[in-house]
Amino acid sequence: LEKTKEALDIVKGLIAKEITPTEKIRAFYNAGELSMKLNQNEEAKKYFQECTNIEEKSSWKDICEQNLKLL
């Protein structure tokens, strides 16, 4: 809906909540993607790194790792 900043604020709120590791991985991925759309690549790297640090298997985690390599 082209409300990237608002979407990022919502995802940041999700990250702060007690959610499952899989949900947290996806939230970090989304935060990274939204940060990239806002041209905040350093911030995106932090989110993707947090995503990869979670000890859980997930296809979202694999995408975070790929995005980290691209940045």
Side-chain angles (χ1 to χ4, degrees):
L1 300 172
E2 298 305 317
K3 294 186 178 186
T4 308
K5 175 69 174 113
E6 291 88 344
L8 181 57
D9 290 339
I10 291 169
V11 172
K12 285 180 182 179
L14 282 174
I15 290 170
K17 294 192 179 287
E18 289 295 321
I19 56 178
T20 68
T22 302
E23 291 168 332
K24 196 158 279 230
I25 287 170
R26 187 166 181 182
F28 278 123
Y29 164 77
N30 285 323
E33 284 290 314
L34 292 166
S35 294
M36 284 176 44
K37 284 186 178 184
L38 293 169
N39 293 317
Q40 299 172 350
N41 290 340
E42 289 304 312
E43 201 67 22
K45 281 182 188 179
K46 291 177 189 174
Y47 288 123
F48 291 138
Q49 188 61 56
E50 287 291 329
C51 171
T52 61
N53 289 343
I54 297 173
E55 294 295 323
E56 185 84 19
K57 278 201 160 265
S58 169
S59 58
W60 295 106
K61 184 175 176 177
D62 296 338
I63 297 169
C64 287
E65 290 171 351
Q66 292 172 9
N67 282 336
L68 264 177
K69 290 176 186 175
L70 295 173
L71 291 173

